[in-house]
Amino acid sequence: MTSPRFFALIPAAGAGARMGAECPKQYMPLAGKLMLMHVLDTFAGSSQIAHTYVVVSAEDGYIDDALSGARHLADRVTVIYKGGPTRHKSVLNGLLAMREQVRDEDWVLVHDAARPGLTEGLIERLIAGVQSDEVGGLLALPIVDTLKRSDAAGRVVATVTRDGLWAAQTPQMFRYALLQRALQQATEVTDEASAVEALGLKPKLVEGSPRNFKVTLPHDVALAELHLKGTA
Ligand code: C5P
């Protein structure tokens, strides 16, 4: 039997409304390159990744141009024009579209297009930490701040202990068959691990990095550029 392979699946079908930019945020230029291209180059540069799939919306008017200027990605990346109304649906559509190329026991690393700070080293760390795990796992960061729960008026109603709390990042890495089953059975989830948890399983946490944060609001752009230029 051949060893399981590692595939990347990038949901990139969001509108990025909170960014308030003219184009979807994954197509914003950052440190001289579109946000999505940073992510695709990182996966393409990793010798452990067999192939990368990127899910965009059926009406996406940017991806073809972006890839036409990136000949080195031609046989490393496949575009799936089947984004859904939510991240959950976009990932599931991507999994179904890659079905023919992937075996049940192969690993799929799902990574947000909006996390351009991922590095090949972080991919290696995740794979090393999870590849012999029964369930799968994800990059995450231990919470260091004291956490407050607020009421509707913005006043503190409780202090939440940070013991054992982590902020989930991506990639999140699960075997193809398990991930497809979990996402098909889950009602709306915001990450893959939650769908797997709903099956009663416990994904493994692997320490990520602050530079792998999700670019969401306009003020995130400057910090992302500092990381990408290596000056943060
Ligand atoms: O909006 P948010 O930053 O949480 O999105 C996380 C990732 O999911 C982004 O890469 C975004 O493009 C993707 N997404 C998607 N389909 C949607 C919504 C978000 O692929 N309908």
Side-chain angles (χ1 to χ4, degrees):
M1 217 185 95
T2 52
S3 321
R5 294 164 300 168
F6 304 95
F7 292 90
L9 176 59
I10 318 294
R18 283 171 292 184
M19 185 61 74
E22 278 172 20
C23 60
K25 69 178 167 184
Q26 57 273 28
Y27 296 112
M28 285 178 64
L30 276 183
K33 206 153 77 173
L34 304 188
M35 189 184 307
L36 175 61
M37 300 309 284
H38 284 283
V39 170
L40 295 182
D41 280 342
T42 301
F43 280 104
S46 167
S47 57
Q48 290 180 287
I49 300 296
H51 196 76
T52 296
Y53 295 86
V54 55
V55 183
V56 300
S57 79
E59 304 80 40
D60 187 293
Y62 301 90
I63 189 76
D64 293 341
D65 269 358
L67 286 177
S68 69
R71 303 285 292 273
H72 61 292
L73 296 180
D75 53 2
R76 297 283 286 143
V77 174
T78 299
V79 182
I80 299 168
Y81 297 86
K82 277 196 186 154
T86 60
R87 181 184 180 285
H88 177 169
K89 290 291 177 336
S90 295
V91 173
L92 188 52
N93 289 351
L95 285 176
L96 296 174
M98 62 200 269
R99 168 74 282 192
E100 298 289 305
Q101 279 70 48
V102 180
R103 292 188 289 265
D104 278 356
E105 64 278 15
D106 285 335
W107 292 98
V108 183
L109 283 76
V110 181
H111 183 69
D112 292 329
R115 294 183 187 273
L118 184 70
T119 60
E120 288 172 40
L122 285 167
I123 295 173
E124 278 168 28
R125 190 192 296 175
L126 177 67
I127 289 177
V130 173
Q131 65 181 338
S132 39
D133 196 82
E134 284 291 301
V135 176
L138 63 150
L139 291 182
L141 272 187
I143 300 285
V144 292
D145 294 319
T146 300
L147 297 177
K148 305 290 184 192
R149 191 180 305 284
S150 70
D151 63 13
R155 292 192 165 272
V156 175
V157 291
T159 295
V160 182
T161 171
R162 66 180 172 226
D163 291 353
L165 283 187
W166 296 64
Q169 298 188 334
T170 68
Q172 303 204 354
M173 167 176 166
F174 296 97
R175 291 185 189 267
Y176 180 88
L178 172 68
L179 184 57
Q180 193 199 307
R181 180 159 63 92
L183 288 174
Q184 241 152 3
Q185 289 182 14
T187 47
E188 211 43 53
V189 287
T190 52
D191 72 348
E192 290 60 54
S194 321
V196 171
E197 292 157 45
L199 299 178
L201 299 170
K202 293 181 174 175
K204 183 174 176 184
L205 293 160
V206 174
E207 186 153 348
S209 163
R211 63 168 285 141
N212 187 32
F213 75 98
K214 188 166 73 171
V215 179
T216 306
L217 299 169
H219 72 243
D220 294 333
V221 171
L223 180 60
E225 289 202 301
L226 288 178
H227 281 299
L228 293 167
K229 289 175 181 158
T231 46

